Amino acid sequence: DARVTQTPRHKVTEMGQEVTMRCQPILGHNTVFWYRQTMMQGLELLAYFRNRAPLDDSGMPKDRFSAEMPDATLATLKIQPSEPRDSAVYFCASGLISLNTEAFFGQGTRLTVV
Amino acid sequence: AQTVTQSQPEMSVQEAETVTLSCTYDTSESDYYLFWYKQPPSRQMILVIRQEAYKQQNATENRFSVNFQKAAKSFSLKISDSQLGDAAMYFCAYRKGTYKYIFGTGTRLKVLA
């Protein structure tokens, strides 16, 4: 049963600390998205990769956030330094968008910055 | 810019009854995709149904169907024979071609036994 795997599921950290969230997309998928979900803003796109190359990261605060795909099986989202306003659920999704299919979401990482 | 609006923050339905969730969107494009995703308390985003804008026929998946009105830019979800397991947040989403998804703010559906 192919699925997008995100780690960790939950993370509590102190303000100022570095946070790294990881995502393993479904094997063979060529597109990876990072979304952030908050009560106030809903689901916001942070970054979007196609064939490991970043296509759009305009939704991501550049001064503290960074997203990478070191290889086809791993996508990372880092926050350094973290702030309380970064508390949210972060979702990774992958898809084979060239076939115009839907994106499949991971279960998300719930981040709490205290 | 494209936007997706879900005007019903919360809806309730009696078990076995039918409920319709509303979604409108704004776009100047003619070719795009629309989706309904379900998010239960587990947080997992699950695809419920998808609709290609070039298709006139409304999509159907078992108890779930849509009413796609392209001219009115409306994309509502009908859930028939509601079950307790249908209780969740439902998000309407728009996607242009191979690009990013734009989500609505969601509708929380409660199913009453």
Side-chain angles (χ1 to χ4, degrees), chain B residues 59-75:
Chain B
T60 299
E61 287 288 341
N62 300 314
R63 298 182 295 106
F64 299 87
S65 61
V66 299
N67 183 4
F68 174 48
Q69 301 289 327
K70 190 172 184 178
K73 298 179 183 175
S74 170
F75 182 60

Side-chain angles (χ1 to χ4, degrees), chain A residues 19-40:
Chain A
V19 175
T20 299
M21 291 168 272
R22 293 177 173 79
C23 168
Q24 181 177 352
I26 293 173
L27 188 64
H29 281 186
N30 64 351
T31 306
V32 173
F33 303 86
W34 281 104
Y35 278 90
R36 175 170 62 184
Q37 185 178 33
T38 61
M39 288 293 292
M40 294 300 294

Side-chain angles (χ1 to χ4, degrees), chain B residues 9-10 14-15 18 26 35 47 56-58 70 80 100:
Chain B
E10 189 172 294
Q14 205 70 35
E15 198 175 4
T18 296
D26 187 23
F35 305 82
L47 178 71
Q56 292 186 338
Q57 187 173 6
N58 289 325
K70 190 172 184 178
S80 304
K100 66 185 180 184

Side-chain angles (χ1 to χ4, degrees), chain B residues 13-58:
Chain B
V13 62
Q14 205 70 35
E15 198 175 4
E17 297 294 309
T18 296
V19 64
T20 298
L21 308 184
S22 301
C23 173
T24 58
Y25 58 95
D26 187 23
T27 183
S28 58
E29 305 288 343
S30 60
D31 188 20
Y32 49 87
Y33 298 82
L34 296 166
F35 305 82
W36 279 98
Y37 277 88
K38 170 185 177 181
Q39 187 179 40
S42 67
R43 292 205 310 254
Q44 180 74 56
M45 294 282 285
I46 302 165
L47 178 71
V48 175
I49 200 164
R50 56 174 278 171
Q51 174 81 43
E52 292 87 345
Y54 65 84
K55 289 186 177 179
Q56 292 186 338
Q57 187 173 6
N58 289 325

Side-chain angles (χ1 to χ4, degrees), chain B residues 65-106:
Chain B
S65 61
V66 299
N67 183 4
F68 174 48
Q69 301 289 327
K70 190 172 184 178
K73 298 179 183 175
S74 170
F75 182 60
S76 60
L77 174 70
K78 186 171 83 170
I79 306 174
S80 304
D81 185 25
S82 297
Q83 300 175 1
L84 294 177
D86 296 333
M89 282 289 287
Y90 286 81
F91 292 93
C92 177
Y94 163 99
R95 195 186 84 209
K96 168 71 178 93
T98 59
Y99 197 48
K100 66 185 180 184
Y101 288 72
I102 297 171
F103 287 89
T105 51

Side-chain angles (χ1 to χ4, degrees), chain A residues 30-93:
Chain A
N30 64 351
T31 306
V32 173
F33 303 86
W34 281 104
Y35 278 90
R36 175 170 62 184
Q37 185 178 33
T38 61
M39 288 293 292
M40 294 300 294
Q41 301 295 330
L43 282 152
E44 305 172 277
L45 179 70
L46 296 176
Y48 164 65
F49 289 79
R50 173 73 53 77
N51 296 322
R52 295 175 54 202
L55 290 191
D56 185 352
D57 59 2
S58 59
M60 202 164 62
K62 301 293 192 303
D63 56 338
R64 300 183 299 108
F65 285 62
S66 62
E68 295 178 346
M69 279 201 75
D71 61 60
T73 65
L74 178 64
T76 63
L77 180 67
K78 290 186 180 180
I79 308 174
Q80 168 62 25
S82 57
E83 297 181 1
R85 58 179 169 153
D86 301 328
S87 297
V89 178
Y90 291 81
F91 285 100
C92 174

